[in-house]
Amino acid sequence: MARSTQLFVMRHLPTAGNRNKQYIGWTDEPIVSSDVIPLSNASFQIHTSDLKRTLETAKRYFPNAELVEHDALRELHFGDWEQKTYAELCEDTTYQAWLDNPFEVTATGGESFETFNKRVTEIIEDLLNAASGPLILVVHGGVIRLLKSLWTESNFLEAHATHDTVAHFTLEKQEEWLCTSYSEVPITESARWFATTSHETD
């Protein structure tokens, strides 16, 4: 009998760099202060990257959760382009080439898409294989876009990953993990999902 897992994925709350449209892959800045209503007070286990913005977001939405950090869930590392904007980079020939082909061109001093793809897919595979119940991730836009490109009809460049939505994948393990259903709702409508999620740590 095929094994099935529920995967819930949300992006961290905005940071100053996000608001300023900067590249902040591995830049470790906090979220912008905002009033957030918790989605659940249950003692879920939440998997995040090890960067402030995902940890702070998880604590806001799930105040009683056990947070498990993974550096492999970080955003793509933009190297010398970190904290810079399109306007600051648009004359850079390497940047121009990267915009045209981000899968083959690497940010100066940064991480290749191949490396990013490998580390993220490997940790996701490990987490899915170890999961005994629903899996909840608070991660980065690039990670979400990659997961959508794996399991939905969106490709990486077309996929969206906003700060105010939650994605729900139903995954089935056959020879590999396949998505059997997918849905997405605004965060304000997602509390009902977590109210029926029974993956608690106590």
Side-chain angles (χ1 to χ4, degrees):
M1 182 177 179
R3 181 179 163 209
S4 181
T5 296
Q6 307 300 312
L7 174 64
F8 299 91
V9 188
M10 58 195 297
R11 188 179 178 188
H12 62 82
L13 289 160
T15 69
N18 293 143
R19 296 277 174 86
N20 294 328
K21 300 186 183 303
Q22 297 171 325
Y23 291 98
I24 56 163
W26 286 18
T27 300
D28 197 14
E29 62 180 25
I31 61 174
V32 176
S33 180
S34 60
D35 293 327
V36 170
I37 298 174
L39 297 174
S40 175
N41 288 310
S43 54
F44 294 128
Q45 186 177 81
I46 311 291
H47 295 269
T48 73
S49 79
D50 61 341
L51 299 179
K52 292 176 184 175
R53 56 193 187 270
T54 59
L55 292 163
E56 291 176 352
T57 299
K59 289 175 182 176
R60 294 286 186 94
Y61 283 124
F62 305 97
N64 296 318
E66 173 196 352
L67 305 186
V68 184
E69 304 173 31
H70 307 272
D71 57 4
L73 287 175
R74 286 187 178 194
E75 179 62 275
L76 178 74
H77 182 24
F78 295 107
D80 295 348
W81 303 345
E82 293 273 335
Q83 298 182 288
K84 294 184 179 179
T85 65
Y86 172 82
E88 295 173 297
L89 294 168
C90 63
E91 301 300 322
D92 184 308
T93 55
T94 303
Y95 178 70
Q96 293 169 358
W98 178 78
L99 289 178
D100 291 336
N101 190 357
F103 304 118
E104 299 296 332
V105 178
T106 301
T108 305
E111 178 182 31
S112 70
F113 184 85
E114 181 181 3
T115 300
F116 168 71
N117 178 61
K118 184 174 186 294
R119 68 169 165 84
V120 172
T121 54
E122 285 182 353
I123 185 63
I124 294 296
E125 178 80 12
D126 288 346
L127 292 175
L128 288 171
N129 289 338
S132 58
L135 185 62
I136 304 172
L137 308 181
V138 178
V139 287
H140 303 271
V143 174
I144 297 171
R145 292 167 66 191
L146 181 59
L147 297 183
K148 286 185 175 182
S149 72
L150 289 174
W151 293 319
T152 75
E153 295 180 355
S154 298
N155 66 45
F156 182 84
L157 297 179
E158 294 174 344
H160 295 287
T162 64
H163 297 281
D164 57 359
T165 59
V166 180
H168 175 208
F169 301 87
T170 299
L171 303 172
E172 188 175 282
K173 182 66 180 284
Q174 298 178 12
E175 291 186 2
E176 57 186 20
W177 287 97
L178 301 176
C179 183
T180 58
S181 71
Y182 171 78
S183 57
E184 187 172 314
V185 299
I187 283 179
T188 52
E189 297 177 17
S190 68
R192 58 187 171 83
W193 283 350
F194 301 110
T196 58
T197 298
S198 59
H199 189 182
E200 299 191 10
T201 58
D202 56 7

